[in-house]
Amino acid sequence: MTKVFGTPHEQVVFCHDEATGLRAIIAIYSTALGPALGGTRFYPYESEDEALDDVLNLSKGMAYKNALADLDLGGGKAVIIGDPTAIKTEGLLRAYGRFVQSLHGRYFTACDVGTFSEDMDVIARECDYVTGRTLAHGGAGDSSILTAFGVFQGMRAAAEHTWGDPTLRGRRVGVEGVGKVGRRLVEHLVSDGAEVVITDVTEAAIDRVRGEHPEVEVADGHDALSGAELDVYAPCAMGGALDDATVEALRAKIVCGGANNQLAHAGIEKQLADRDVLYAPDYVVNSGGVIQVADEIEGFDFDRARQKATGIFDTTRRIFQIASDEGVPPAVAADRLAERRMSEIGRLRGILVNP
């Protein structure tokens, strides 16, 4: 069992409403830069321990992501345990909203796997700290738009670092997971002239992409795609895609995708570097979505958010340069940069301004 007090997290809240079936965990990793922001994942975890492990890892990733996205926000995440197709109801979402409200702004929620902008509208009927709402309710709408855009910017930076040109034209890119983010990433890649190969556990998702882009190839699952002749491997499904076996079989020169927590365990980043595979840290390149929903807090403007998300290209490029200068993998360089910002800016909280 995970021991919460063995982690650096500031706060972990277990939420239970028996009448609606709500079982949720909210994890706040850090508020050094501001209120914690991170989405709510609705997923049928096999155990409470599995859910807790996930929310602790995801909330830490959000803290680092928000720091490198140049946001004045800390990192948090929430998970609701259960199959959203079976138990998601208005009552359950509103009950969850009451629990988020009870944190009085220490945590802002948004969409994630299993939740959508329409769900955020329901949660917002009980809670003031909700982002990623529908356009009809003044929100940012589907955050996968800028998530995919940001991943593409990071991939361009990786291409420049590897081949000297920030384009994927003529490169073979494998996209694993073509749901909300992966499907939009395929659009950017096809427009840029890349050859695209996809896979997904859901046939409907594959059919949708093939319907939009008939030229896209399909691989038969994770092993077939990750071990294929690719220039770039883009994990865009659930976390942990880069385990020992996958890294050993990987033939791509770049790994850059939209999934969170892609590294299955500590040390994978070194294995990638040892095999001369350039890894674009996931929480750097997939930060476009959080940039999009964070903009909603001050009144959403899509053009402003998109312009900020273009900065992912420069941030990714900077991380690759730091990695080269310091002789460390890009994931280590990104961690150091995020930790430096959280420390330097968080330190300012010690300056008394309202005696």
Side-chain angles (χ1 to χ4, degrees):
M1 177 177 179
T2 302
K3 291 181 171 57
V4 174
F5 290 132
T7 75
H9 291 70
E10 291 182 14
Q11 187 175 12
V12 179
V13 180
F14 288 76
C15 313
H16 183 217
D17 181 60
E18 187 174 1
T20 61
L22 173 70
R23 293 184 300 150
I25 309 172
I26 302 170
I28 297 174
Y29 182 80
S30 170
T31 56
L33 295 177
L37 170 64
T40 296
R41 178 165 294 188
F42 205 140
Y43 189 76
Y45 296 97
E46 293 186 3
S47 68
E48 186 178 303
D49 283 350
E50 184 185 9
L52 179 59
D53 282 340
D54 202 28
V55 78
L56 293 177
N57 288 331
L58 290 167
S59 57
K60 178 181 179 179
M62 287 305 305
Y64 283 61
K65 179 185 298 189
N66 292 342
L68 289 180
D70 194 34
L71 299 172
D72 291 330
L73 293 165
K77 202 79 173 185
V79 296
I80 298 175
I81 302 171
D83 182 352
T85 65
I87 70 168
K88 186 194 293 184
T89 63
E90 177 187 348
L92 182 147
L93 292 173
R94 292 181 71 156
Y96 170 67
R98 300 284 287 184
F99 282 107
V100 176
Q101 183 72 14
S102 73
L103 295 173
H104 303 292
R106 281 179 52 77
Y107 169 65
F108 278 77
T109 195
C111 304
D112 197 78
V113 174
T115 59
F116 302 88
S117 294
E118 292 78 10
D119 299 325
M120 296 304 113
D121 287 344
V122 176
I123 293 168
R125 294 171 73 174
E126 302 290 341
C127 180
D128 299 319
Y129 309 106
V130 183
T131 60
R133 299 189 64 187
T134 62
L135 296 175
H137 286 86
D142 183 1
S143 63
S144 68
I145 296 172
L146 290 189
T147 302
F149 176 73
V151 172
F152 180 62
Q153 297 307 312
M155 199 179 291
R156 290 179 60 241
E160 179 187 64
H161 187 84
T162 302
W163 299 301
D165 195 3
T167 179
L168 282 306
R169 179 170 299 279
R171 302 295 176 184
R172 190 168 173 83
V173 182
V175 180
E176 180 170 1
V178 285
K180 291 190 287 187
V181 173
R183 179 175 66 86
R184 294 184 185 278
L185 177 59
V186 169
E187 292 175 3
H188 290 296
L189 292 168
V190 170
S191 295
D192 198 38
E195 298 177 16
V196 180
V197 188
I198 65 171
T199 193
D200 197 287
V201 296
T202 305
E203 284 296 327
I206 292 174
D207 291 343
R208 180 174 182 179
V209 172
R210 289 275 291 163
E212 296 167 344
H213 305 287
E215 70 275 26
V216 166
E217 298 177 34
V218 179
D220 186 18
H222 167 79
D223 291 345
L225 182 69
S226 59
E229 284 283 359
L230 301 172
D231 295 300
V232 183
Y233 170 53
C236 294
M238 297 294 284
L242 293 166
D243 56 18
D244 296 303
T246 298
V247 172
E248 184 63 30
L250 201 62
R251 299 158 100 179
K253 297 297 293 179
I254 293 171
V255 173
C256 178
N260 290 309
N261 297 331
Q262 293 172 20
L263 307 182
H265 60 77
I268 290 287
E269 70 283 355
K270 185 177 185 305
Q271 293 180 39
L272 288 165
D274 288 346
R275 297 195 70 237
D276 199 26
V277 176
L278 182 66
Y279 172 62
D282 49 54
Y283 67 78
V284 178
V285 302
N286 70 12
S287 62
V290 76
I291 290 171
Q292 182 171 332
V293 298
D295 193 83
E296 188 177 322
I297 295 173
E298 57 180 295
F300 183 61
D301 183 291
F302 181 81
D303 291 336
R304 179 177 62 200
R306 190 179 190 278
Q307 181 58 40
K308 189 172 183 64
T310 61
I312 293 171
F313 177 89
D314 290 328
T315 301
T316 308
R317 175 197 268 172
R318 181 183 177 194
I319 286 166
F320 292 150
Q321 189 59 55
I322 292 172
S324 296
D325 292 345
E326 298 184 4
V328 297
V332 175
D335 284 355
R336 290 177 179 176
L337 193 60
E339 288 162 1
R340 191 178 309 147
R341 181 166 186 257
M342 285 189 277
S343 175
E344 291 176 353
I345 304 303
R347 179 195 63 80
L348 300 177
R349 299 290 181 88
I351 299 174
L352 186 63
V353 294
N354 188 26

